[in-house]
Amino acid sequence: MTGSEIRARFLQFFADRGHTMVQSSSLVPHNDPTLLFTNAGMNQFKDCFLGAEKRDYLRACSSQKCVRAGGKHNDLENVGRTARHHTFFEMLGNFSFGDYFKKEAIAYAWDFLTKELGLDTSRLYVSVYTTDDEAADIWHKQEGVPRERIFRFEEDNFWSMGDTGPCGPCSEIFYDNGSEIGCDSPNCTVGCDCDRYMEIWNNVFMQFDRQPNGELIPLPKPAVDTGMGLERITTVMQGVQSNYDTDLLRTIISYIENLAEKTYGDNEEHDVSMRVIADHSRATAFLIADGVLPSNEGRGYVLRRIMRRAMRHARMLGFEAPVLYKTAIFVLESMALAFPDEAKRSSFVAKVVQNEEERFILTLGNGLRILQDEIAKLEQLQQKTIPGETVFKLYDTYGFPFDLTADIVEKDGYILDEAGFETCMEEQRKKARAHWKGSGEEAVAGVYKELIEQGIRSAFSGYQSLEDQSEVLVLLQEGQQVEEAVCGEKVEVICSTTPCYGESGGQVGDTGAISSDEASLRIIETRKPLPNLLVHSCEVLTGAIHHRARVKITVDAARRLQIVRNHTATHLLQAALQKILGEHVKQAGSLVTPERLRFDFTHFSPVSPQELQQIEELVNSEIRRNNTVSTREMASDEAIAAGAMALFGEKYGDLVRVVEVGDFSMELCGGTHAKAAGDIGLFRILSEGGIAAGVRRIEAVTGDTALAQVHEQQQMLSQIGNILKTDQANLEQRLHKLLEHQRQLEKDLEQLQSQVNANLGGDLLSQVQIIEGIKLLAVRIDGCDGKQLRELSDQLRDKLQSGVLVLTGNFEESVPLLVAVTKDLTDRVSAGNLIKPLAALVGGRGGGRPDLAQAGGKDAGQIDNLLAAAPMRLKDILQG
């Protein structure tokens, strides 16, 4: 039975028993800042378990793609070296939200394993929480599992979502791989750390609500969360001992064998490399398909660590050119039946991976040289620890993650100074903290979740109208519900309906006004902390606003108009980018404000001025076509099949809102838009630049702001024309002539300066001193910078033929200093040694080669003292 067949039979088994098949959620968790990646099947149902989200089903099943690769630096070291460590894996799960509980969950698990898959019951064992007699009795009396095969554990058999909230006991199922596997201990049994008794299924029974004081209160509707690793159950069904020997991963390894022209099983180190590439190719392909891009922070950094470890192992297999992009494509194509949406993004994934590989190959050689030099020093000292500063330099300058460096040096018996590395990292964190961006989403305040649990909902009516009558459902001050807020106070107002758009999807929230018979309020901003909850942040201007008051809510219409122009323009911009630059362009972020729009997109090189002009012209052409902007609700699958653009990894419901601008643009979008493209008026690009590897950013303006920008540029050109005494038509020609004239003047000036230096050099030679038989010229030349001193020193050395020069002077409130030594004397006098004590006299420091050194100081008042000290310092050096 193949892994794909097991996945399909699992989902169908539970679908036949009333479970709704739910598609795997994105690897980027939504509304959960505590998680870097989706790491369990229950992640997408978290709000269902908490009661904050209601769905139209009480039973669900899924095959969830998961990534576990965060945390300690050495997390990745075991991947490829053990039978079951992975970065990417699939979790099969069935879930109940207050429907069935222990009896049914246990029966489903046992039936699927023993009847559907036909596992030998004599090789199955179970565990329960220490005090969970109910589960133990169900296993024994209902399913016939002998008491001696039921184990009780405490630490591993109780699960909680956090320090507080839903929690409950677990019941696990183990498969006995046989006495020939494992630790050979006569006491080996379930719970041993060896591979003999392998956990294949975990039932979590959420039946308590843990209070802040630790008290466990029974939940009114207990829930079930179960999980079974697809890779593990496939090893059992295919009779192999390693997950890498299942068809889920062995097919990828076979593909790598062909590319590398090596045979799996011939060389253990090569085998490890093939397993690493196979596993990491899965994680790489699916993370990028879900919108994660390699970077130096957050999720992107974890992805980069995974990719670079795979790239390093590719080189160990003999690959010199990029290869990971090929294995990533193979992964997506071979898993297309289970994950069709991800497979459609394979060309984009390949471009991202290949771009990262090419960058890494450029830096790898330099980094390896640094590492080899360090190892050579350690060999001389007979030490085996790479200093933390070196490890950090490799990370910071050459992009070597900690565990990649550990991988490289491990075979030679070296270890890394992790404490020293962490000290350097902490120093960097302190410097960067002001600019730090979290990788998770903003945490949703608990009060909003409580309101949802209480049934509080607010409907958005702002697609149709900018004004609405409503009722105040909740008033909040400092996170607490209040009955009223009076003049001068700030308050959050939640109403039954509102025409104000809550900030989401990159579009800022509306401002406006709320009024009742007794009060008037200014809406500072509108937010959407949770689906179906719109929160107005307000200031009470007059009177007092009361809970349950009837109010009129009015949107700032002029501001909304500017926002909708910019938002519709982002849709036209994205379509134009795809048409001009290629289908690989995907949205990577956006910001829509009244003043401007910002659009981040995936692309692998700067957009040329010609391309920017084409993009701007195409958007303005669509504005002039003035197509109607239409919206409709569709089933999400139907909309995407029809060609609607969706954000990578975005969480969409069964029904989605589709925004179309004629036949030019079609996107899934919940934002507000212009009625027709012509409402935008004018579109102007302000800037384009890179913000991350493979991600570009365009900033633009529309409407009145764009027109004002045109006028501003026109006025600037007129002013420049007046300064240059020409009209705009001849401005470019006039500038070329002026620049050519300037270049000629600079050449003439250089020639004159050379002549002056030559004449000056002759005069200066009269000041030569003889120190210990060596000529010394120490003089002050004001008005010369470092470059001019160097030019003069060349001429003076030629005339001096043998000797030492010390040149200094006052230049724009600084003190440049130069020491030059003719080649015949560098074995006796080093310019670098002479300049240091002299530079200190003027409050500076410097250094250089034996024949030439330069420095800079700040204290011009000490120049004469410096020149007086020069003969003594030279004498000290000559006398040793």
Side-chain angles (χ1 to χ4, degrees), residues 99-401:
D99 186 8
Y100 61 81
F101 200 46
K102 292 182 184 179
K103 289 176 63 175
E104 295 86 349
I106 288 172
Y108 289 148
W110 197 251
D111 281 356
F112 182 76
L113 293 174
T114 61
K115 296 177 182 176
E116 185 72 19
L117 298 187
L119 294 187
D120 181 356
T121 58
S122 69
R123 302 184 75 167
L124 295 176
Y125 296 76
V126 299
S127 69
V128 298
Y129 184 59
T130 309
T131 58
D132 193 356
D133 295 332
E134 180 186 5
D137 286 343
I138 294 170
W139 279 117
H140 178 62
K141 296 176 181 177
Q142 177 179 288
E143 305 304 334
V145 178
R147 293 281 185 188
E148 62 271 18
R149 287 178 178 269
I150 302 172
F151 291 77
R152 293 176 183 260
F153 300 124
E154 183 171 3
E155 185 177 346
D156 293 335
N157 279 70
F158 197 91
W159 182 91
S160 59
M161 200 175 286
D163 293 334
T164 61
C167 58
C170 305
S171 180
E172 298 172 319
I173 305 174
F174 298 83
Y175 182 80
D176 181 3
N177 282 309
S179 57
E180 66 278 9
I181 304 297
C183 60
D184 296 328
S185 168
N187 299 318
C188 181
T189 186
V190 173
C192 182
D193 289 334
C194 75
D195 255 1
R196 176 171 177 178
Y197 297 96
M198 180 174 68
E199 177 205 333
I200 58 173
W201 195 302
N202 186 21
N203 296 275
V204 177
F205 305 125
M206 282 185 261
Q207 63 185 100
F208 302 112
D209 184 6
R210 192 196 300 273
Q211 301 301 300
N213 62 4
E215 182 183 0
L216 298 177
I217 298 176
L219 288 169
K221 290 186 177 180
V224 172
D225 159 28
T226 83
M228 175 172 65
L230 177 60
E231 288 78 11
R232 288 197 178 193
I233 191 61
T234 305
T235 65
V236 172
M237 295 304 298
Q238 294 181 359
V240 295
Q241 297 304 320
S242 169
N243 292 358
Y244 291 95
D245 291 331
T246 68
D247 70 303
L248 294 169
L249 284 145
R250 189 63 179 84
T251 51
I252 307 172
I253 291 172
S254 297
Y255 180 72
I256 297 166
E257 280 183 288
N258 292 331
L259 291 175
E261 298 181 350
K262 289 179 170 56
T263 303
Y264 186 68
D266 281 359
N267 179 297
E268 177 55 26
E269 282 305 307
H270 288 168
D271 292 351
V272 169
S273 293
M274 289 188 203
R275 291 195 291 266
V276 167
I277 297 169
D279 172 271
H280 291 6
S281 293
R282 297 208 302 172
T284 295
F286 280 94
L287 281 170
I288 296 172
D290 277 352
V292 180
L293 295 171
S295 69
N296 283 332
E297 62 180 19
R299 298 183 179 104
Y301 176 57
V302 176
L303 170 59
R304 178 164 281 169
R305 287 173 59 203
I306 293 169
M307 293 174 71
R308 292 195 166 181
R309 184 168 186 255
M311 293 169 195
R312 166 67 182 156
H313 277 275
R315 288 179 73 87
M316 290 165 69
L317 281 178
F319 292 106
E320 294 295 329
V323 69
L324 189 62
Y325 77 97
K326 295 179 182 178
T327 58
I329 291 175
F330 180 81
V331 164
L332 292 176
E333 289 178 348
S334 62
M335 297 177 72
L337 192 62
F339 300 99
D341 292 339
E342 290 82 348
K344 292 174 186 174
R345 300 168 190 153
S346 61
S347 61
F348 168 73
V349 170
K351 286 180 179 176
V352 174
V353 178
Q354 188 171 2
N355 184 63
E356 181 73 7
E357 284 187 283
E358 288 169 352
R359 291 183 60 195
F360 182 58
I361 287 169
L362 290 174
T363 61
L364 183 63
N366 292 330
L368 287 175
R369 280 191 290 275
I370 295 287
L371 193 53
Q372 286 160 1
D373 289 346
E374 187 63 42
I375 288 173
K377 292 177 189 175
L378 293 175
E379 283 179 351
Q380 292 179 349
L381 298 171
Q382 295 185 325
Q383 295 177 0
K384 285 291 184 179
T385 302
I386 310 288
E389 294 84 353
T390 302
V391 180
F392 178 75
K393 182 179 180 181
L394 287 167
Y395 156 77
D396 196 43
T397 306
Y398 299 103
F400 279 42

